[in-house]
Amino acid sequence: MGDIFVIAEHRNGEIRDITFEMLQKAGALAKDLSCNVTAVLLAGPSEVVEVFADKLSKWADRVLVFEDERLKTYDSDLYTGILAALVQEQQPFLTLVGHTSWGLDYAPTLAVRTGHPLSTDATDILLEDGRPQVIRQMYGGKLFSRVSFDPSEGYMVTVRPGAFQVETAGDKTGTVVSQNLPEALQSPRREFLEFEETAAGDVDITQADLLVSVGRGVGEADNIATVQELADLLGGTLSCSRPVVDKNWLPKYHQVGTSGKSVKPKVYLALGISGAFQHVAGITGADCVIAVNKDKKAPIFRVADYGIADDLFTVVEALKAKAKSG
Ligand SMILES: Cc1cc2nc3c(=O)[nH]c(=O)nc-3n(C[C@H](O)[C@H](O)[C@H](O)COP(=O)(O)OP(=O)(O)OC[C@H]3O[C@@H](n4cnc5c(N)ncnc54)[C@H](O)[C@@H]3O)c2cc1C
């Protein structure tokens, strides 16, 4: 059986979390299939490549490295050219790609060029009769579907960031193998100018251990300040549901959910959030959900580990007093 390939993703000198999330899942699948995990790294220059390859080797049995100055930044022509040749030559059983702006760009072309069928936006990958089955959401997260593949030489899946938790540190000592770029590689038709961070603001809710999240129940924009104060006192980060963004009470980068961000805090404190499926789909990675809602029948209580059926302001003031008293 071929390996499980994980295509590494990096940006601004860092390997992105999605790479390790995929490697973690690939490791578990490889155990069941008795096959190897191969990380594939396209990067440059050499100093960066060395550091990246070393990190990846702790998670993979092999790291295949394509090093070139042009691979310092992402280019879909180069990625599809290199990866299509590699996949055709090595015929991996499964190729995992991040369901990110990169993956969304090159995975469909790669699937067409290699003939490996593609399922996108996986929140889980199972094995059935020796073939992968993909769990993915439909209708904006209302339904979970299970996607099967027709038998094929290999399969391809894009993985939703945050779908798999990285619970352990990598303990492998994979070999790093330098690869030559294919000779007939098409010259890039685009030129990278500069990397401009999207409005990430001063917070990154995807990296926070404690999220204090507000919903429409907060009532009005002016009330956000008291919740922000609680978040600051607890050392947490403020996040919110979509209506809070729609009403311009907070910028979009605070939004949790299917059209916002998937988060994976240790504690998610939901204040005045009803628990619509589009919101809850974004918090499946949270270790502990604590919900405060004055409606004791609110759906958020179905997914909460702890629930308080009360006015959120009463709870916020009590928590603030407790935090201040030390
Ligand atoms: C395509 C699509 C994508 C979407 N994507 C997202 C998304 O990414 N993220 C997202 O969040 N939503 C998303 N939504 C919207 C989603 O369907 C819900 O409308 C939204 O999550 C509801 O937000 P909410 O819980 O803050 O508000 P509401 O549903 O209005 O709930 C407010 C809650 O606050 C409680 N409450 C009111 N006052 C108080 C008080 N004083 N104290 C305590 N509790 C109080 C109420 O009992 C109620 O349960 C999407 C919808 C669509 C159609």
Side-chain angles (χ1 to χ4, degrees):
M1 170 176 287
D3 289 5
I4 300 182
F5 274 18
V6 171
I7 315 300
E9 192 163 315
H10 55 90
R11 185 192 282 172
N12 284 348
E14 295 286 340
I15 298 182
R16 307 200 75 200
D17 288 353
I18 179 64
T19 307
F20 298 108
E21 292 163 13
M22 291 191 290
L23 283 165
Q24 169 98 27
K25 184 64 189 177
L29 291 170
K31 234 180 231 166
D32 291 344
L33 291 161
S34 304
C35 70
N36 286 327
V37 175
T38 293
V40 182
L41 173 66
L42 284 66
S46 55
E47 317 83 78
V48 175
V49 170
E50 217 172 287
V51 177
F52 285 174
D54 184 55
K55 284 188 181 160
L56 294 172
S57 66
K58 300 192 168 54
W59 291 89
D61 302 290
R62 276 193 314 169
V63 184
L64 301 183
V65 177
F66 293 89
E67 182 193 322
D68 192 284
E69 194 59 35
R70 290 171 296 170
L71 295 169
K72 190 175 163 194
T73 51
Y74 170 72
D75 181 277
S76 63
D77 288 333
L78 293 174
Y79 266 65
T80 33
I82 293 168
L83 294 173
L86 181 73
V87 168
Q88 270 155 352
E89 179 202 309
Q90 303 225 351
Q91 291 296 333
F93 167 71
L94 176 64
T95 302
L96 300 182
V97 173
H99 193 77
T100 58
S101 50
W102 287 22
L104 287 165
D105 188 31
Y106 73 81
T109 319
L110 189 58
V112 171
R113 287 218 199 150
T114 58
H116 287 195
L118 168 70
S119 177
T120 57
D121 201 13
T123 56
D124 202 1
I125 304 169
L126 316 171
L127 294 168
E128 184 90 9
D129 300 331
R131 268 182 273 159
Q133 274 198 346
V134 168
I135 305 296
R136 68 190 304 278
Q137 294 181 344
M138 292 172 71
Y139 304 114
K142 203 162 198 167
L143 292 181
F144 283 89
S145 62
R146 188 188 274 237
V147 179
S148 320
F149 293 98
D150 283 339
S152 165
E153 290 281 317
Y155 307 90
M156 200 173 289
V157 174
T158 66
V159 175
R160 177 180 287 201
F164 302 118
Q165 301 306 306
V166 179
E167 281 149 10
T168 52
D171 57 1
K172 291 187 187 264
T173 47
T175 45
V176 177
V177 187
S178 216
Q179 299 285 300
N180 293 324
L181 267 62
E183 278 172 22
L185 192 59
Q186 185 190 353
S187 303
R189 289 169 294 179
R190 275 158 274 196
E191 185 191 353
F192 175 79
L193 295 181
E194 64 174 319
F195 179 75
E196 203 172 308
E197 194 72 66
T198 50
D202 47 0
V203 295
D204 181 359
I205 61 169
T206 64
Q207 299 303 315
D209 278 344
L210 168 62
L211 282 174
V212 178
S213 209
V214 274
R216 193 174 358 221
V218 77
E220 55 187 86
D222 289 348
N223 293 339
I224 302 270
T226 188
V227 182
Q228 175 74 68
E229 200 189 328
L230 174 65
D232 293 344
L233 280 168
L234 298 177
T237 300
L238 192 65
S239 57
C240 67
S241 65
R242 179 158 150 173
V244 173
V245 172
D246 291 346
K247 287 172 181 289
N248 284 326
W249 294 348
L250 279 174
K252 173 86 178 165
Y253 53 80
H254 288 271
Q255 187 190 319
V256 173
T258 51
S259 55
K261 290 183 175 159
S262 292
V263 294
K264 45 184 182 188
K266 291 198 170 79
V267 176
Y268 187 78
L269 177 57
L271 303 167
I273 294 176
S274 59
F277 67 87
Q278 292 96 342
H279 186 85
V280 167
I283 60 171
T284 51
D287 287 346
C288 176
V289 176
I290 305 170
V292 182
N293 195 304
K294 65 181 182 186
D295 174 7
K296 64 176 189 232
K297 290 193 177 144
I300 190 76
F301 289 130
R302 285 190 222 135
V303 295
D305 298 282
Y306 300 95
I308 305 168
D310 203 343
D311 185 278
L312 74 91
F313 298 104
T314 311
V315 176
V316 166
E317 289 313 316
L319 287 174
K320 273 163 51 178
K322 184 82 185 153
K324 281 178 188 162
S325 70

